[in-house]
Amino acid sequence: MMAALQVAGGVCRCPPRLLPAGRQQRRQAAVPPARAVASGATTTVEEEEGKVRLGESSVAVTKLGIGAWSWGDTTYWNDSEWDDKRVLSLSLSERRLKEAQAAFDASIDNGMTFFDTAEVYGTALMGAVNSESLLGGFIKERQQKEQIEVAVATKFAALPWRFGRGSVLSALKKSLDRLGLSSVELYQLHWPGIWGNEGYLDGLADAYEQGLVKAVGVSNYNEKRLRDAHARLKKRGVPLAANQVNYSLIYRTPELNGVKAACDELGITLIAYSPIAQGVLTGKYTPEKPPTGPRANTYTPDFLTKLQPLMNRIKEIGASYGKSPTQVSLNWLTCQGNVVPIPGAKNASQAMEFAGALGWSLTGEEVEELRTLAREIKGIKMPIEES
């Protein structure tokens, strides 16, 4: 039975938690994913079939997707404890491969069948294995055992030497070869082109019309670029299905720069990457034990000290639901409406934990309390969306 939920201005219209017999009653009933439909300045969200429709396209995906950035990567995530140290007889690369495949299988087993990758994830120039190739291999191997439905999203890299619509089709066909697929559910422009985006958008429309992709999207687009892309594709009769941007409880720029409101107004799904702030919202990092590698430059001991009041409250709320900080942080995003988070799963246990963010909901009061606490935290800057 379909239900409707009104979302306006990025605020979750979740019902308050009931208080029978003097105790708070947890709201654990399953909350089916939603389809966003443009309706004036707000978005009407229709619950259907346990999936969320990407914008006004024909593609429906699970309410929580899985990001495959770390699969094959040897630069940004190379010190991220990705390998399974229990498999001591295998090389590091073999252990990482087994962990990535286990993450894929666990995602499928737990009902998360939407996977996001990109041609630049795991570049061969750095001696890595391409993420698209790994994902394609995982899909093929799993399908040899059983019939599965998987929705794949990948991205075009707007490199300075790539010009015009033809470059999009050329890159897409190479991505399809690596994936071993004849088409993908979603093809996105990974970031704005420095020479303009008109040709790239025309290339997306060409790919859509040729049946190579079922839906098209952009990534890291600010409000103006998003509206321009929507208008240009609309002239071709092609819906702009998604804008993939950095969005988490502690990085809420899409709420502040007009991107979230524009997505809701235009009927464009917001796909949230780094939804747990690259692991920081899991609670495993502290001022005494900050992350290593490139993340250490952003999530410093000083930043993590300021984060502690928010993390303490996340843990308290999570305990009342029997949920982890990771699951609370992901659920907070789904409560915003018209948002599909895509946390990166490096192993099976992470994928299984992500699945625990579904099937329940924070109350509206909890959503706003966490937002208020998060406003006190400063220091994260991701300038790509504001350039």
Side-chain angles (χ1 to χ4, degrees):
M1 185 174 182
M2 284 193 177
L5 174 69
Q6 281 296 118
V7 178
V11 178
C12 175
R13 304 304 187 199
C14 302
R17 198 184 301 181
L18 301 177
L19 301 170
R23 297 185 60 186
Q24 290 184 324
Q25 175 69 36
R26 296 178 198 145
R27 184 170 177 262
Q28 295 284 3
V31 180
R35 179 167 69 92
V37 181
S39 177
T42 64
T43 300
T44 300
V45 180
E46 297 177 352
E47 299 171 355
E48 62 171 328
E49 301 176 0
K51 291 188 176 183
V52 60
R53 193 166 299 280
L54 295 179
E56 297 178 350
S57 75
S58 63
V59 175
V61 301
T62 49
K63 192 173 184 180
L64 196 69
I66 296 295
W69 178 13
S70 66
W71 296 0
D73 176 76
T74 58
T75 53
Y76 197 91
W77 297 103
N78 63 342
D79 66 341
S80 58
E81 301 179 359
W82 199 34
D83 55 299
D84 185 349
K85 296 179 176 61
R86 294 168 297 179
V87 191
L88 299 178
S89 62
L90 300 177
S91 69
L92 178 61
S93 60
E94 288 173 324
R95 291 199 299 271
R96 286 177 170 170
L97 175 61
K98 286 179 69 69
E99 286 288 87
Q101 186 158 14
F104 172 83
D105 286 331
S107 299
I108 297 292
D109 293 340
N110 285 274
M112 297 174 294
T113 59
F114 177 40
F115 296 89
D116 179 83
T117 183
E119 62 175 323
V120 295
Y121 293 165
T123 172
L125 295 175
M126 303 299 292
V129 179
N130 186 275
S131 174
E132 291 176 325
S133 298
L134 289 175
L135 176 58
F138 299 159
I139 293 171
K140 182 178 180 180
E141 186 168 335
R142 182 68 181 244
Q143 287 183 331
Q144 289 174 344
K145 302 174 183 176
E146 61 178 315
Q147 186 64 35
I148 59 172
E149 291 185 8
V150 176
V152 174
T154 192
K155 308 181 197 75
F156 166 84
L159 301 169
W161 54 87
R162 284 179 163 174
F163 298 98
R165 63 206 302 172
S167 64
V168 176
L169 286 172
S170 177
L172 171 59
K173 290 174 181 177
K174 291 177 182 177
S175 287
L176 292 175
D177 285 343
R178 286 187 290 268
L179 287 161
L181 301 172
S182 59
S183 67
V184 290
E185 277 65 33
L186 178 65
Y187 195 50
Q188 306 150 98
L189 303 181
H190 205 153
W191 59 80
I194 62 174
W195 310 118
N197 299 291
E198 292 81 3
Y200 297 150
L201 292 166
D202 288 338
L204 286 184
D206 292 343
Y208 179 85
E209 290 172 351
Q210 292 179 29
L212 298 175
V213 301
K214 298 180 178 66
V216 299
V218 293
S219 180
N220 299 304
Y221 270 45
N222 62 23
E223 181 186 1
K224 183 180 185 307
R225 289 195 180 103
L226 183 65
R227 290 184 181 279
D228 289 346
H230 178 269
R232 190 173 187 90
L233 288 169
K234 188 175 182 180
K235 290 180 180 178
R236 294 277 298 272
V238 178
L240 178 58
N243 185 20
Q244 184 177 146
V245 295
N246 191 329
Y247 187 25
S248 71
L249 180 55
I250 60 172
Y251 185 78
R252 298 176 318 288
T253 296
E255 297 177 2
L256 306 175
N257 65 5
V259 165
K260 176 65 167 65
C263 284
D264 292 346
E265 173 193 339
L266 299 173
I268 299 168
T269 299
L270 191 155
I271 298 176
Y273 71 78
S274 295
I276 50 175
Q278 299 179 4
V280 171
L281 287 172
T282 65
K284 69 178 180 179
Y285 297 116
T286 66
E288 297 73 32
K289 186 185 177 183
T292 57
R295 289 176 293 169
N297 297 324
T298 300
Y299 304 111
T300 63
D302 180 62
F303 178 89
L304 292 169
T305 298
K306 297 175 182 176
L307 183 66
Q308 291 313 297
L310 173 63
M311 288 306 310
N312 290 338
R313 186 58 183 138
I314 289 174
K315 292 174 183 177
E316 290 172 358
I317 292 174
S320 75
Y321 288 97
K323 298 294 181 179
S324 70
T326 297
Q327 293 162 344
V328 171
S329 298
L330 291 172
N331 191 272
W332 184 89
L333 277 174
T334 62
C335 268
Q336 307 313 309
N338 196 32
V339 175
V340 176
I342 51 167
K346 298 188 294 292
N347 52 52
S349 62
Q350 288 183 351
M352 289 186 285
E353 183 176 22
F354 297 157
L358 298 172
W360 62 285
S361 180
L362 295 167
T363 67
E365 289 86 350
E366 289 164 341
V367 167
E368 290 310 309
E369 179 187 2
L370 293 178
R371 179 183 277 108
T372 298
L373 287 171
R375 288 193 183 106
E376 302 300 317
I377 302 165
K378 310 293 181 183
I380 302 179
K381 294 183 179 180
M382 305 287 179
I384 186 169
E385 297 152 33
E386 302 176 21
S387 60

